[in-house]
Amino acid sequence: MPTEAAPLRQLDPHTVDELTHTARKILTHFGSSAARPELLRRVAESATRLGEAIRHHCRPVDTDDGLFVLRGLPVDDDGNGPTPAGWATAGDSAAEWDVILLLLATAMGHPIAWEGQQEGRFVHNIVPAPGHEEEQTGASSTVLLSPHTEDAFHPGRAHLLLLACMRNHDAVATTAASVRKVRLDADDVALLSRPVLPILPDDAYAEARSFAGEPPRVSVLWQTESGPTLRYDPAYTPLDRAPADYRAAYDRLTAELERVSVAVVLEPGDVLVVDNDQVVHGRVPFEPRYDGTDRWLKRASVRVPGRRSRPLSEADEHGYGQAALVAHP
Ligand SMILES: [Fe+2]
């Protein structure tokens, strides 16, 4: 897989100052935690006052890569303390970055959270956790995290995914594959646009996994005004239930996504922004250190108001009883 330079949006020093200063002010006012609802309201207010340069850097993805990297924000490696041993103990570690990420997310749309994931927090910590090495979740390490649409099981999933790098000493690559670079024949596209199989909730959603309702069948690939769009999570798709021709088309999509996949090595301070309608993301395997210096990312999810990229049939899905919490301005 080629290690490619993702389209880069370099932040100038003035913009960096504006963002960090605003985040610091908000955090000082609310104490050390970015998890409070009043803080979200303040973030929304402050985001409307951010300058033109930040708005320009937060514009939608504008290449077929379906992603970009914001670079230039500082990370205080010593000040952030050790990499948490799991999301549950991360608490308010590097809370200033939680606010920076929320400001960026708010400049792009509405941040969302999930009641059933990481206690409803709007910014998640992604760190390897002992005992979860081989899962298909962000807590894993020694296995390939298969390319997937974020929260593919849910009709209210994010349009954009923001991954901010706090620490990555071993240069562990995030993978990304854009459906806009995939070549499939029209028959495969037609087959994969039919709702044949469900996508089940992933292991990060304990409650949703025990939901009693019938899993809705969903389209994997469809056309929108701006191009092909996908909803894909093979690790949670019961492919063995599909007819052979469907499975073959799905396998060809998987092979194409592999062919166009790129490895993005994030540096501390980088914020990778992925269009979750166009790009599936994953992570290469790595050996966890478990010594406080492990890879550490922060994640925010965003809905873009007014974006019409989803099939109408998704509106009837139950979402396995999970509700997205939306931070409205
Ligand atoms: Fe993910």
Side-chain angles (χ1 to χ4, degrees):
M1 187 187 308
T3 299
E4 270 186 24
L8 207 59
R9 299 186 185 179
Q10 182 74 42
L11 300 169
D12 62 84
H14 174 76
T15 307
V16 168
D17 278 354
E18 190 184 0
L19 270 169
T20 48
H21 184 72
T22 307
R24 221 161 277 165
K25 225 165 95 183
I26 294 172
L27 206 56
T28 307
H29 188 266
F30 287 98
S32 61
S33 173
R36 296 165 57 180
E38 317 90 78
L39 181 137
L40 283 166
R41 277 196 293 279
R42 172 65 77 84
V43 166
E45 280 164 28
S46 301
T48 61
R49 290 195 291 273
L50 291 171
E52 196 45 50
I54 294 176
R55 307 207 155 275
H56 182 64
H57 286 308
C58 291
R59 69 192 183 277
V61 299
D62 46 12
T63 68
D64 280 347
D65 301 295
L67 53 80
F68 59 87
V69 171
L70 287 170
R71 181 165 289 172
L73 286 158
V75 164
D76 176 4
D77 193 71
D78 290 335
N80 282 346
T83 299
W87 70 261
T89 56
D92 297 317
S93 309
E96 188 176 304
W97 260 94
D98 291 357
V99 184
I100 289 174
L101 212 45
L102 285 170
L103 283 165
L104 292 170
T106 308
M108 297 177 197
H110 300 323
I112 63 168
W114 301 92
E115 274 168 5
Q117 200 185 17
Q118 298 206 9
E119 292 170 341
R121 283 175 177 262
F122 281 79
V123 176
H124 294 163
N125 288 283
I126 312 285
V127 292
H132 299 267
E133 288 82 359
E134 297 184 4
E135 273 179 7
Q136 284 295 311
T137 72
S140 72
S141 49
T142 56
V143 292
L144 176 84
L145 181 58
S146 309
H148 59 279
T149 303
E150 191 71 358
D151 298 323
F153 74 97
H154 203 283
R157 64 195 175 281
H159 295 119
L160 301 172
L161 185 67
L162 277 63
L163 294 171
C165 178
M166 300 295 97
R167 189 168 282 148
N168 191 11
H169 291 319
D170 296 321
V172 178
T174 302
T175 65
S178 168
V179 71
R180 307 268 159 111
K181 294 182 167 181
V182 156
R183 288 194 297 259
L184 282 176
D185 68 34
D187 289 348
D188 282 350
V189 173
L191 252 179
L192 293 168
S193 65
R194 278 188 219 147
V196 172
L197 293 172
I199 300 177
L200 303 169
D202 66 59
D203 288 328
Y205 293 89
E207 215 176 278
R209 289 175 67 78
S210 54
F211 184 75
E214 178 70 20
R217 294 155 197 253
V218 304
S219 303
V220 168
L221 194 64
W222 61 92
Q223 277 293 337
T224 65
E225 275 170 20
S226 65
T229 300
L230 91 168
R231 181 180 184 183
Y232 173 86
D233 196 350
Y236 296 95
T237 302
L239 279 166
D240 51 343
R241 293 187 209 160
D245 59 343
Y246 184 90
R247 282 208 307 272
Y250 198 100
D251 287 349
R252 282 189 286 273
L253 170 63
T254 300
E256 271 298 288
L257 288 169
E258 252 171 57
R259 183 182 67 80
V260 304
S261 182
V262 294
V264 181
V265 176
L266 295 176
E267 299 171 10
D270 282 353
V271 181
L272 172 65
V273 180
V274 166
D275 190 310
N276 199 37
D277 283 325
Q278 296 179 37
V279 170
V280 289
H281 64 281
R283 190 216 60 238
V284 300
F286 68 102
E287 212 47 58
R289 300 174 170 215
Y290 296 146
D291 64 353
T293 64
D294 263 314
R295 176 181 184 261
W296 179 10
L297 305 183
K298 284 180 178 281
R299 173 177 64 198
S301 300
V302 176
R303 273 203 215 144
V304 178
R307 186 192 272 204
R308 291 205 301 268
S309 52
R310 310 276 164 81
L312 290 176
S313 56
E314 289 196 9
D316 299 326
E317 292 179 22
H318 51 54
Y320 299 83
Q322 281 294 301
L325 311 167
V326 184
H328 287 294

